[in-house]
Amino acid sequence: MTTRYVIVGNGAAGATAAQSIRAHDADADIQIVGAEKHAFYSRPGLAYYLTGQLPEGALFSRSDKELDRAHIKRTVGRVASVDPRAHRIELADGKAMRYDRLLLGVGAKAVRPEVEGIELEGVVTLDSLDDARLILKIARRSKRAVVVGGGITALELAEGLAANGVATRYLMRGDRYWASVLDERESALVEERLGHDGVVLHRNTELAQVIGHKHRMTAVETKDGERFEADMLAVAVGTQVRLELAKEIGLATGRGIFTDDTLVTSEPDIYAAGDAAEVLDPVTGRRSVDSLWSVAIAQGRVAGANMAGGSESCMPRPAPFNVTKLGGVTTTLIGAVGAGGRDGDLIALSRGDSSAWRDQLDGFAVDSDSGANHLRLILSEDRILGAVVMGDQSLSRQLLEVIRDRLDIRDVRDRLLAGQAEVREALTLVLDRVAYAV
Amino acid sequence: MFGIRGSANRAQLDGGEGPATPSAPIAPASLIVRDVLKRKAMVSGRVVADAVRCVECGICTYNCPLGIDVRKHVRQAIPISDHACLTCGECVARCPRGTLRFEESSVFTGEPGGSGKR
């Protein structure tokens, strides 16, 4: 008998799960339901669409034709309700679908700080292609903008607006950028580059209210009473999982939708993956949330396999990893890199972020710089726990392998402590030892 | 000497972002070495990808002067060994996430590559 699969959400986790199900079940009836009318596009790519490095059409990486070839159906609509007993969902337009297995890949959405005027026209967030279109539309008629928030998205917004010729101020609540993940030197590197791009930084400055005329914003006011005239306010203070549906079904939730390591929720036959999932590690007993493309793809693959009858685990959790441009500097973050600072700019996890980066494992950091490049390694007695690589990326591939595979570094530890000049050879030694042992 | 297991990186070949090690002023000899390496990579190299770094943004595909769908190759973990690829390095240089790199391939040993354009 044909098994019916319904996937809610056409993001990285949902689309990958659909293809994974097809790979495991040739006869499956697969249906993706998503609120966005667009075909699958690269959400991280929106940053380059904002800066003008990419036209909109280039963002669509998996066409509907590709879905057709795999006999995967896609419906545009909002899920209004789910009846887990009857295995049935109903869309807002009244259309109903039955499922044998359901995946919630519903993602997360940007939160807005609770200040007066935050709903005025001109206040924007960046979740989707439609958001990016709106930002560009408003930017075209804007002279001045203010950005508040932290993490990668705040930078993308500041750089995107500056690239469109909008005079941009970035208000930081603390005294430096992304203090919970980056150390002082790393924050300084990013801030320097932002200044180069024409973004004006304001430290220890907190948004108090948005001021407007009729429906449109005209200025922001800070807690110190300073007023900045602005046509736009871009907000990136963090994201929260879209939990409405999970709560309506009665699933166990926390920051995200609780799942075990096979991505099953508290309800059999309902799975969750990607930004929406808060996954339990059965060994450590800890739950984690990520907002990372690579994690969403990996979880989509596992969820799809398991929905089709498999029993794969997405644990042990691979070292969370992201590579991105921070203020124009290519930066790779791997594993536990938490710098221990408090980040007042983010009230929740931001996009491109992992809760594991904030982990303060029992290690200590070794910093080294050469020119515009920067490397920070977090070492324990026998392992590299995390790394931040800024600028030249030729070490990051090796580091990812050594951290992800938890390789023993005891015999090269002294060389890792000696700084960048010795790191490459030390890593090569560790990797070669493993390669020869196989 | 550089790269990992025989791979060469465009940024290093071009002196783009510079080597990771503290660098002395570049001597003419090393410039020649770089040029030779660059040409060698263009002749005998192919573009390979680290799919885990890719976020499917499409900058590679958009900038390919020959219109090769580089992103699709990456997603399917296939080297860009399309016979039409010039190994010009546009995609390698422009990828904002360091997904792509040159890797030496031995064209004379008949090493299997990808099956071309998809």
Side-chain angles (χ1 to χ4, degrees), chain A residues 40 42 44 48 54-55 58 60-62 66 293 321-323 332 370 373 391-394 396-397 420 424 431, chain B residues 3-5 12 17-22 50 52-59 62 71-72 75 96-98 101:
Chain A
F40 182 88
S42 168
Y48 315 123
L54 273 181
F60 297 99
S61 63
R62 308 183 194 187
E66 193 176 318
W293 183 269
F321 152 82
N322 198 1
V323 47
T332 302
S370 100
N373 303 318
D392 178 31
Q393 292 296 308
S394 56
S396 62
R397 197 170 295 120
Q420 273 199 24
R424 183 187 311 278
L431 289 168
Chain B
I4 301 149
R5 293 170 193 167
Q12 288 169 325
E17 291 179 323
T21 48
D50 234 3
V52 72
R53 298 170 82 92
C54 178
V55 292
E56 300 179 32
C57 72
I59 282 183
Y62 178 61
R71 167 170 56 192
K72 197 164 183 180
R75 189 149 68 80
R97 309 215 170 205
R101 67 182 195 277

Side-chain angles (χ1 to χ4, degrees), chain A residues 1-14:
Chain A
M1 201 182 83
T2 305
T3 309
R4 288 164 300 192
Y5 301 88
V6 174
I7 292 162
V8 186
N10 191 29

Side-chain angles (χ1 to χ4, degrees), chain A residues 79-282:
Chain A
V79 179
S81 64
V82 176
D83 181 347
R85 305 283 161 266
H87 282 61
R88 183 174 176 279
I89 70 165
E90 197 171 304
L91 305 189
D93 64 5
K95 191 175 173 188
M97 294 175 188
R98 292 178 58 81
Y99 68 84
D100 295 301
R101 312 258 189 289
L102 178 71
L103 176 70
L104 300 179
V106 291
K109 63 173 181 288
V111 292
R112 292 183 178 220
E114 288 176 9
V115 299
E116 203 183 317
I118 199 72
E119 297 305 330
L120 284 167
E121 194 188 315
V123 182
V124 294
T125 54
L126 179 60
D127 278 332
S128 63
L129 177 56
D130 286 340
D131 289 340
R133 281 180 177 176
L134 179 68
I135 290 169
L136 287 175
K137 186 177 159 196
I138 301 178
R140 265 177 226 122
R141 62 161 167 79
S142 297
K143 289 195 175 75
R144 286 158 299 195
V146 170
V147 176
V148 294
I152 293 168
T153 309
L155 276 196
E156 290 174 343
L157 287 164
E159 289 174 331
L161 291 169
N164 280 278
V166 183
T168 304
R169 298 175 191 274
Y170 179 13
L171 313 189
M172 293 191 289
R173 286 170 79 173
D175 56 4
R176 64 185 180 89
Y177 170 70
W178 214 7
S180 57
V181 170
L182 303 182
D183 71 11
E184 287 177 14
R185 168 87 183 111
E186 291 152 7
S187 296
L189 273 172
V190 176
E191 290 164 15
E192 207 176 293
R193 290 296 298 260
L194 273 177
H196 257 272
D197 293 346
V199 177
V200 180
L201 296 179
H202 297 265
R203 293 165 218 279
N204 303 305
T205 305
E206 196 171 338
L207 176 72
Q209 64 166 316
V210 188
I211 298 156
H213 178 66
K214 294 184 181 166
H215 300 296
R216 190 178 282 190
M217 68 167 285
T218 54
V220 301
E221 195 169 292
T222 70
K223 288 225 163 129
D224 295 334
E226 204 169 352
R227 186 184 278 223
F228 299 118
E229 306 295 319
D231 315 294
M232 293 183 80
L233 170 67
V235 178
V237 296
T239 59
Q240 66 189 24
V241 173
R242 296 177 207 271
L243 286 175
E244 304 83 2
L245 200 55
K247 284 184 170 167
E248 199 248 5
I249 301 169
L251 301 179
T253 59
R255 282 181 294 175
I257 304 169
F258 283 175
T259 74
D260 68 7
D261 61 320
T262 65
L263 299 172
V264 182
T265 65
S266 55
E267 186 72 41
D269 298 330
I270 301 183
Y271 294 69
D275 289 7
E278 185 168 351
V279 186
L280 179 69
D281 183 332

Side-chain angles (χ1 to χ4, degrees), chain A residues 342-393:
Chain A
R342 210 184 65 83
D343 197 334
D345 289 317
L346 291 171
I347 57 178
L349 200 67
S350 64
R351 287 198 191 284
D353 200 346
S354 167
S355 58
W357 286 339
R358 287 159 179 69
D359 289 351
Q360 291 288 301
L361 294 180
D362 187 19
F364 68 98
V366 192
D367 276 301
S368 58
D369 288 298
S370 100
N373 303 318
H374 169 84
L375 173 70
R376 173 159 58 98
L377 299 179
I378 295 88
L379 301 177
S380 70
E381 276 306 307
D382 57 350
R383 284 198 290 132
I384 305 178
L385 304 171
V388 177
V389 187
M390 299 184 83
D392 178 31
Q393 292 296 308

